[in-house]
Amino acid sequence: MFHRKSIEERIAERQAKLPPLKEGKHFEHGPAKFVFVSLLVIVAIVHFGGLALVMHFYS
């Protein structure tokens, strides 16, 4: 339609122009990175909070 390339062809051309990814410096999916880091922080806070609570009652 209107002599445009398909979306797949446009995506392939755009990805071909990108420089190669550096090893260990790339996280594939931004929102997944946000969720992963958020969960790590929440788990750390809960563990330290539980440790503080146990230390408070058993000291």
Side-chain angles (χ1 to χ4, degrees):
M1 182 175 180
F2 301 115
H3 305 291
R4 289 183 67 181
K5 293 181 182 179
S6 69
I7 187 75
E8 292 85 5
E9 290 173 343
R10 288 185 278 163
I11 291 172
E13 287 177 356
R14 192 176 307 141
Q15 287 180 340
K17 292 179 184 178
L18 293 175
L21 300 176
K22 295 178 182 175
E23 187 69 29
K25 296 285 185 180
H26 180 73
F27 200 97
E28 184 66 31
H29 198 270
K33 177 182 174 183
F34 176 75
V35 170
F36 178 70
V37 171
S38 299
L39 286 175
L40 284 179
V41 169
I42 290 169
V43 167
I45 290 172
V46 168
H47 277 83
F48 282 118
L51 180 64
L53 192 65
V54 168
M55 289 176 63
H56 176 72
F57 284 111
Y58 288 103
S59 61

